[in-house]
């Protein structure tokens, strides 16, 4: 009797367990081999259909081998009906979750690709992908519940009624979610933009999540976290739009006896040298514009471009140092403020 029980237990549990373990091991091994081969032989841009297809299929060999193992258990091994039903449920769940994951990754990849290719780019943030994944996985979950024989109509009804109570209790959270979507779809902000709010906060946008927008001020490693609702209701100065480069205006004055042609030539030479050393991405040449006969100097502005807003500080720093040194070498005087008073 004991031998029969052990044999029956071996057939019902141990053999299916071994089949599942072997299937998972084979799937993990195949997936790792494919991933290594692809990484070794293929260098694909993220904004291509080829990359989207490869990324969406990651992990599919594991799911496929698990499905084969479950199908083998259900259709070839003589086990009791309750275990057959359980393995059938697991088989269907694995299939639906695998398909759902592939669809979610593919749609997220298509959204990212369209954002990259669009002329007026939407911000590439975690909020859009989170919403898309949530919707797709929720649909997959409903399909699984329907297969299990659980009616989803009462669930949807309960969600509709309970949604009103949740909306009332989570007004601030929902306001931040919709404010984040508004910021993204209105194209007011992009990841990497340098912004300044009317409340005084400024920095480079690093991400827009379902509740917060994170920015990092120039020259500071500290992250500033701002609710999306606060940003949506603030006056925003975006220094990266419509173009990421900005114009830096540096006021200078030279003595009245200076050779202005020489001053202009020397100043432009120094500005071009600093741009080559500090910000090589700039292709626009610096210019000098004289504008005022001051009390003790002829005043002008040096107009330089910076590829990013936070590069301007180091550009000004290095330019002022280099220009002061060069003026002294060339004998160009930057006069102290002087005012002559004539008594009648």
């Amino acid at each position: 009797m004991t031998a029969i029980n052990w044999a029956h237990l071996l057939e019902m549990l141990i053999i299916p367990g071994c089949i599942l373990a072997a299937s998972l091991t084979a799937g993990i091994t195949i997936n790792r081999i494919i991933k290594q081969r692809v990484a070794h032989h293929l260098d694909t841009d993220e904004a291509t259909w080829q990359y989207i297809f490869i990324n969406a299929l990651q992990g599919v060999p594991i799911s496929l081998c698990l499905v084969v193992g479950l199908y083998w258990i259900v259709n070839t091994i003589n086990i009791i009906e309750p275990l057959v039903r359980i393995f059938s449920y697991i088989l269907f769940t694995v299939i639906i979750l695998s398909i759902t994951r592939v669809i979610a990754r593919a749609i997220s990849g298509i959204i990212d690709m369209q954002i990259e290719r669009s002329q007026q780019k939407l911000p590439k943030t975690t909020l859009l992908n989170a919403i898309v994944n949530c919707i797709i996985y929720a649909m997959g979950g409903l399909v699984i519940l329907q297969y299990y024989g659980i009616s989803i109509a009462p669930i949807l009804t309960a969600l509709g009624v309970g949604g009103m109570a949740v909306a009332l209790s989570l007004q601030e959270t929902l306001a931040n979610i919709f404010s984040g979507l508004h910021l993204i779809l209105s194209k007011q902000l992009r990841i990497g933009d340098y912004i300044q709010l009317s409340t005084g906060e400024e920095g480079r946008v690093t991400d827009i999540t379902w509740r917060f927008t994170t920015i990092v001020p120039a020259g500071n490693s500290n992250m500033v976290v701002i609710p999306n609702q606060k940003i949506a209701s603030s006056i925003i100065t975006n220094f990266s739009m419509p173009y990421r480069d900005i114009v830096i205006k540096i006021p200078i004055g030279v003595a009245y006896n200076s050779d202005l042609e020489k001053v202009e030539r020397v100043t432009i030479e120094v500005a071009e040298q600093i741009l080559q050393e500090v910000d090589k991405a700039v292709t626009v040449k610096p210019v000098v514009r004289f504008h005022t006969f001051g009390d003790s100097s002829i005043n002008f502005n040096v107009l330089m471009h910076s590829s990013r807003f936070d590069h301007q500080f180091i550009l000004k720093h290095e330019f002022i140092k280099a220009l002061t040194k060069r003026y002294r070498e060339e004998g160009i005087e930057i006069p102290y403020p002087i005012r002559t008073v004539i008594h009648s």
Side-chain angles (χ1 to χ4, degrees), residues 219-233:
N220 194 340
S221 59
N222 297 325
M223 180 180 294
V224 180
V225 180
I226 307 172
N228 293 332
Q229 187 179 10
K230 299 295 184 183
I231 294 183
S233 60

Side-chain angles (χ1 to χ4, degrees), residues 194-203 215 217 224-226 230 234-235 237 239:
Y194 197 96
I195 65 172
Q196 184 181 55
L197 305 181
S198 57
T199 53
E201 295 86 359
E202 68 174 64
I215 63 175
V224 180
V225 180
I226 307 172
K230 299 295 184 183
S234 298
I235 299 175
T237 303
F239 295 100

Side-chain angles (χ1 to χ4, degrees), residues 30-324:
I30 295 172
N31 186 70
R32 186 172 298 176
I33 292 174
I34 294 176
K35 190 175 181 179
Q36 291 176 351
R37 293 289 180 88
V38 170
H40 182 70
H41 295 287
L42 187 63
D43 184 16
T44 306
D45 184 17
E46 293 187 8
T48 60
W49 291 103
Q50 189 176 13
Y51 177 86
I52 293 173
F53 177 75
I54 294 172
N55 184 64
L57 293 180
Q58 284 186 8
V60 170
I62 299 176
S63 302
L64 184 61
C65 290
L66 185 58
V67 167
V68 171
L70 289 170
Y71 185 81
W72 183 10
I73 293 172
V74 172
N75 290 277
T76 60
I77 297 178
N78 185 20
I79 56 178
I80 60 178
E81 181 61 26
L83 286 180
V84 173
R85 188 178 300 109
I86 291 174
F87 283 123
S88 298
Y89 286 157
I90 297 175
L91 175 61
F92 184 80
T93 302
V94 171
I95 293 174
I96 294 300
L97 289 179
S98 300
I99 295 174
T100 302
R101 184 174 64 173
V102 171
I103 294 174
R105 287 181 174 178
I107 294 179
S108 296
I110 292 172
I111 292 174
D112 292 340
M113 183 181 67
Q114 295 301 323
I115 290 173
E116 290 293 332
R117 291 182 176 181
S118 62
Q119 294 181 351
Q120 295 181 339
K121 294 184 178 180
L122 290 170
K124 186 179 180 180
T125 69
T126 57
L127 179 59
L128 284 176
N129 289 336
I131 292 176
V132 169
N133 290 334
C134 182
I135 294 174
I136 294 175
Y137 279 107
M139 294 174 62
L142 293 177
V143 172
I144 293 173
L145 291 177
Q146 188 72 28
Y147 179 79
Y148 288 170
I150 301 174
S151 178
I152 62 174
I155 297 177
L156 296 176
T157 303
L159 289 176
V161 175
M164 298 180 63
V166 172
L168 292 174
S169 60
L170 298 177
Q171 291 185 40
E172 184 178 354
T173 300
L174 293 175
N176 284 319
I177 293 175
F178 286 108
S179 296
L181 286 174
H182 170 72
L183 292 173
I184 294 172
L185 297 177
S186 64
K187 305 176 185 178
Q188 294 178 355
L189 298 181
R190 301 171 298 183
I191 302 301
D193 286 356
Y194 197 96
I195 65 172
Q196 184 181 55
L197 305 181
S198 57
T199 53
E201 295 86 359
E202 68 174 64
R204 188 164 299 282
V205 179
T206 58
D207 196 8
I208 302 176
T209 64
W210 61 277
R211 188 175 181 184
F212 300 108
T213 296
T214 55
I215 63 175
V216 177
N220 194 340
S221 59
N222 297 325
M223 180 180 294
V224 180
V225 180
I226 307 172
N228 293 332
Q229 187 179 10
K230 299 295 184 183
I231 294 183
S233 60
S234 298
I235 299 175
I236 304 173
T237 303
N238 193 332
F239 295 100
S240 302
M241 294 182 69
Y243 307 105
R244 287 195 178 275
D245 64 322
I246 66 168
V247 178
I248 306 171
K249 183 172 67 174
I250 304 175
I252 306 174
V254 294
Y256 271 92
N257 60 355
S258 302
D259 183 349
L260 297 186
E261 295 290 340
K262 179 180 179 181
V263 169
E264 182 176 6
R265 175 179 56 80
V266 170
T267 304
I268 291 177
E269 289 177 359
V270 173
E272 291 177 344
Q273 177 186 351
I274 296 302
L275 286 175
Q276 286 296 317
E277 295 176 357
V278 178
D279 198 348
K280 294 183 180 180
V282 176
T283 57
V284 181
K285 299 293 184 180
V287 296
V288 170
R289 293 292 181 262
F290 295 95
H291 60 79
T292 307
F293 291 101
D295 294 335
S296 57
S297 62
I298 298 177
N299 300 325
F300 61 93
N301 291 321
V302 181
L303 304 179
M304 303 170 60
H305 281 254
S306 175
S307 62
R308 292 174 47 155
F309 180 85
D310 44 357
H311 282 176
Q312 63 173 308
F313 307 107
I314 187 63
L315 276 174
K316 290 180 181 179
H317 172 77
E318 295 296 335
F319 175 71
I320 290 174
K321 287 197 307 180
L323 188 65
T324 302

